[in-house]
Amino acid sequence: MPLIIKGAASSHGAQVTDNRVSETVAQVISDIRAGGDAAVRAYSEKFDKWSPASFRLTEDEIRGIVAGVPETTLDDIRTVQRNVREFAKAQRASINDFEVETLPGVFLGQRSIPVSAAGAYVPGGRYPLVASAHMTIVTAKVAGVERTVACTPPIKGEIPAATVAAMHLAGADKIYLLGGVQAVAAMAVGTESLERVDLLAGPGNAYVAEAKRQLFGEVGIDLFAGPTEILVVADEYADPFVVAVDLLSQAEHGPDSPAVLVTTSEHVARETLEHIDRLLPTMPTQDYAGPAWRDHGQVILADDLDEAYAVADGFASEHVQILTREPREALQRMRQYGALFLGEGTCVSYGDKVIGTNHTLPTRGAARYTGGLWVGKYLKTVTYQEVVNQASSAELGELCGRAARVESFEGHARSGDVRAAKYAGAELPWAPDVYRAESA
């Protein structure tokens, strides 16, 4: 049995929506649905104290903003977006259309068609999440989305220049300085100045997440995302200092971000705890990382790696980092995770910011049933059918008649009967006499 060396002070399970959040979000969506642009402006003034002449940035405004971003930052954005683009292109290339002939003259096919329009939400708030622009917009464009709308909030009344630059360089067709529920609702339901989209993507706070939940069905969404999570699996070969640094790297996302260590080494467990105690007070973000570690941090001692992997799978964590002598073993041993980070040379922060895989990943146990954002999320997998052989159509018609009548679907059965009669001379006892006479 695993031994809990440090337990979580607060529970962290499936997403439970705060009633106040739900009610506020429902009211905002309802008002924007009814009031359009005027309601969007009223909520932007209320929540962000932001009411420009137009929320949409013009091409000239975008050029001016990008020109003010340091060239080193722009080069870094281009490099990261190249990494994201290359991986997304490889994903797209792995999705193939196909057609098969299952009977003589019976052709069945599959196509992957991009949604026509996607909305990318790039959060602001305390942290301008520039990387979210890469993950949502670049991936949409590689998928072939024709129209990509991007929204990001102002930060304390200022334009987040690097975020705007990232949106522009990623290929956003329209960029709006608009945040929160009002942005998500406007993209989903449409207003006089913002044409509705088909799919929403991107992370956000509890209000944005709840807005996506309420709007799902009216539009598609990438996934429901909660607080960032990290779980490290470590053996006796792991460096406790590296383990501590990597756990805290994700704890700084917010006070409700779980950071979990599952290790087979009591030495690694104890040393990691000591390093965290020394590192936390010096972190500029310790006001987030501190409560996150205090309330949601865990250290669990497993008997062996078999147990460690089983415990890790039980968490179904968003990010799972493997710091063991043979990290690639986890590819065969684990099934429940958003993304794996294998070996000391890899860290979750690479995935968050620069390496090229998508950082929008399932949280709160959702890795049990879904992966994260990828090219495929922007694609609709559709099928088509064509029967050009009359004998095959007649055979299918007879089969359809029998199968449909088992379910008491007489209308379905008759569609099959007609083809069996027309192409193979089968009887149509239910048809009017005049039709049977004409067919004969």
Side-chain angles (χ1 to χ4, degrees):
M1 290 289 292
L3 174 66
I4 298 176
I5 294 178
K6 181 195 181 301
S10 299
S11 62
H12 177 80
Q15 182 73 51
V16 177
T17 302
D18 184 305
N19 287 337
R20 292 169 299 178
V21 172
S22 180
E23 291 168 4
T24 298
V25 168
Q27 187 63 58
V28 173
I29 293 173
S30 176
D31 289 347
I32 290 174
R33 198 185 298 279
D37 284 342
V40 170
R41 184 170 297 279
Y43 279 114
S44 182
E45 290 175 342
K46 177 179 179 179
F47 294 136
D48 289 331
K49 297 181 175 55
W50 181 254
S51 183
S54 172
F55 291 106
R56 182 185 171 188
L57 295 176
T58 66
E59 292 299 318
D60 286 343
E61 288 172 328
I62 292 170
R63 278 193 292 269
I65 293 166
V66 174
V69 177
E71 194 60 36
T72 300
T73 301
L74 294 177
D75 286 342
D76 287 345
I77 289 172
R78 294 186 185 102
T79 298
V80 175
Q81 290 187 353
R82 181 198 64 208
N83 294 343
V84 174
R85 187 174 293 108
E86 288 306 306
F87 189 73
K89 287 166 68 175
Q91 288 181 325
R92 184 64 184 92
S94 74
I95 306 170
N96 298 311
D97 294 351
F98 66 85
E99 181 176 280
V100 294
E101 188 175 9
T102 57
L103 290 170
V106 177
F107 298 97
L108 308 181
Q110 177 174 297
R111 298 181 63 208
S112 294
I113 302 173
V115 299
S116 296
Y121 185 73
V122 181
R126 174 169 180 167
Y127 302 127
L129 295 185
V130 176
S132 288
H134 320 326
M135 307 303 175
T136 52
I137 302 166
V138 169
T139 308
K141 284 302 180 183
V142 171
V145 176
E146 184 176 345
R147 179 170 62 90
T148 302
V149 175
C151 288
T152 196
I155 299 178
K156 296 180 180 178
E158 300 293 328
I159 296 173
T163 302
V164 171
M167 289 169 152
H168 171 68
L169 294 173
D173 298 291
K174 296 180 180 180
I175 298 174
Y176 293 80
L177 281 179
L178 184 64
V181 177
Q182 58 271 23
V184 173
M187 289 190 286
V189 307
T191 70
E192 301 93 322
S193 64
L194 206 166
E195 187 178 355
R196 63 173 294 178
V197 300
D198 303 309
L199 184 142
L200 293 169
N205 62 18
Y207 289 89
V208 169
E210 174 62 11
K212 289 169 66 177
R213 189 189 70 80
Q214 292 190 20
L215 291 162
F216 177 56
E218 185 170 355
V219 292
I221 65 170
D222 49 358
L223 70 163
F224 300 116
T228 291
E229 305 163 347
I230 182 174
L231 185 146
V232 174
V233 176
D235 63 12
E236 68 272 23
Y237 297 95
D239 181 338
F241 183 74
V242 172
V243 175
V245 169
D246 289 348
L247 287 169
L248 293 177
S249 74
Q250 297 302 299
E252 75 175 356
H253 272 276
D256 51 359
S257 289
V260 178
L261 169 61
V262 181
T263 180
T264 58
S265 167
E266 185 169 358
H267 167 74
V268 170
R270 302 293 180 189
E271 287 289 310
T272 298
L273 285 169
E274 290 179 12
H275 285 306
I276 288 174
D277 286 343
R278 285 191 290 267
L279 288 167
L280 252 178
T282 69
M283 288 183 68
T285 52
Q286 67 89 25
D287 56 335
Y288 276 7
W293 178 248
R294 180 193 66 218
D295 296 337
H296 302 285
Q298 296 188 58
V299 177
I300 299 170
L301 183 63
D303 289 337
D304 51 34
L305 277 175
D306 286 340
E307 185 173 69
Y309 288 132
V311 170
D313 260 352
F315 278 90
S317 183
E318 177 187 19
H319 306 104
V320 176
Q321 191 166 336
I322 308 297
L323 297 176
T324 64
R325 183 172 61 174
E326 299 293 342
R328 292 183 72 87
E329 285 184 354
L331 291 171
Q332 282 70 50
R333 306 286 286 280
M334 290 195 64
R335 297 175 61 87
Q336 319 283 21
Y337 53 84
L340 276 183
F341 300 82
L342 303 175
E344 187 180 271
T346 320
C347 62
V348 174
S349 295
Y350 286 177
D352 281 348
K353 305 299 181 186
V354 297
I355 206 167
T357 49
N358 208 291
H359 76 190
T360 305
L361 298 166
T363 63
R364 293 189 181 272
R368 293 179 295 106
Y369 60 83
T370 186
L373 180 60
W374 71 298
V375 160
K377 289 283 188 180
Y378 294 97
L379 299 174
K380 301 173 291 181
T381 299
V382 299
T383 60
Y384 63 90
Q385 307 82 35
E386 183 181 26
V387 182
V388 297
N389 181 288
Q390 292 186 354
S392 292
S393 184
E395 181 181 342
L396 288 169
E398 292 179 355
L399 177 62
C400 180
R402 294 192 299 272
R405 288 188 173 96
V406 168
E407 299 176 345
S408 299
F409 275 86
E410 181 63 23
H412 287 65
R414 291 181 179 189
S415 286
D417 293 348
V418 165
R419 284 150 182 87
K422 189 165 188 176
Y423 299 141
E427 293 294 322
L428 283 181
W430 52 264
D433 290 342
V434 64
Y435 180 82
R436 291 203 299 272
E438 289 174 355
S439 298

